[in-house]
Amino acid sequence: RKARKVTYMDGEMDLVTLKSRTIALCNSLNTNPPDGLKIFTPETFTGLLPSINTADGQKEIDALIGTDWDVLFIDNYSAWSGDGRETAEAWAPMMRWMLGHKRAGRTIIVIHHTGKTGKQRGSSSHEDALDWSVALKPADGAFSDGALRFNLVWEKNRHLSSADAKPIAVTMG
C-alpha cells in the first residue's frame, strides 16, 4: 500500500546486466523502475566484496548503504559471506547484524542457494531468527510454452496462519 525504499546488493551480477534485467522486468509489468531503488554490485567496491559476516565488512556495507532504506535484498549470502563458509559460526555475526536492522524497523531479505538435495546449504541455524523462509520449487511443466513455472513454498512461517502459508503457484513469461 505504500512505496518502500529498497536497496539491492547483488554479489555476482554486473551493474549493466542487473539494470537491464530490472528494466525488462518493469516493462513486463507495464511500470517504471521505482524511484526508491538503489542497486549495489561488485563494481561498487575497489577490492573484493566486504564480508557480511564480519564486523569490518558490516561496517563497510553500512557506510555504503546508509540507513535510509526500508528493505534490503542481499543476493546472495554465499557471495557476500567472504569465505564461503555456511556454518552456524559463520552465520552468527550476520544474524546479529540483521537483528540490529530489524530492531530499527528495516527488513532484510537474504537470497541463498540450495544444495544438491534442494535444501538450503549450510547450517539450519540460518533460519533461527528469521520470520519467514521460502523456497522456490519447480512446478509441473516448469519450462513449457516459454513460461517459467514454480511454487513458492513456505519453509518457515512465523506469524502466518496455516491458511496463509499455503504454497503459491507462480507463472512468469
Side-chain angles (χ1 to χ4, degrees), residues 10-12 40-52 57 60-61 75-76 78-82:
D10 190 291
E12 297 176 319
F40 296 94
T41 61
E43 296 99 332
T44 307
F45 304 94
T46 54
L48 297 174
L49 289 176
S51 178
I52 204 159
E60 187 175 348
I61 290 166
D75 185 1
N76 61 60
S78 296
W80 288 95
S81 67

Side-chain angles (χ1 to χ4, degrees), residues 42-107:
E43 296 99 332
T44 307
F45 304 94
T46 54
L48 297 174
L49 289 176
S51 178
I52 204 159
N53 55 3
T54 67
D56 288 341
Q58 292 164 3
K59 286 177 189 171
E60 187 175 348
I61 290 166
D62 283 340
L64 177 72
I65 66 174
T67 57
D68 189 26
W69 51 270
D70 300 304
V71 180
L72 170 65
F73 284 85
I74 300 170
D75 185 1
N76 61 60
Y77 171 67
S78 296
W80 288 95
S81 67
D83 60 8
R85 293 183 312 132
E86 297 173 0
T87 63
E89 295 78 21
W91 176 260
M94 182 173 165
M95 184 171 57
R96 286 190 297 277
W97 176 79
M98 290 190 312
L99 287 171
H101 282 292
K102 180 179 179 178
R103 280 190 292 278
R106 295 182 286 273
T107 298

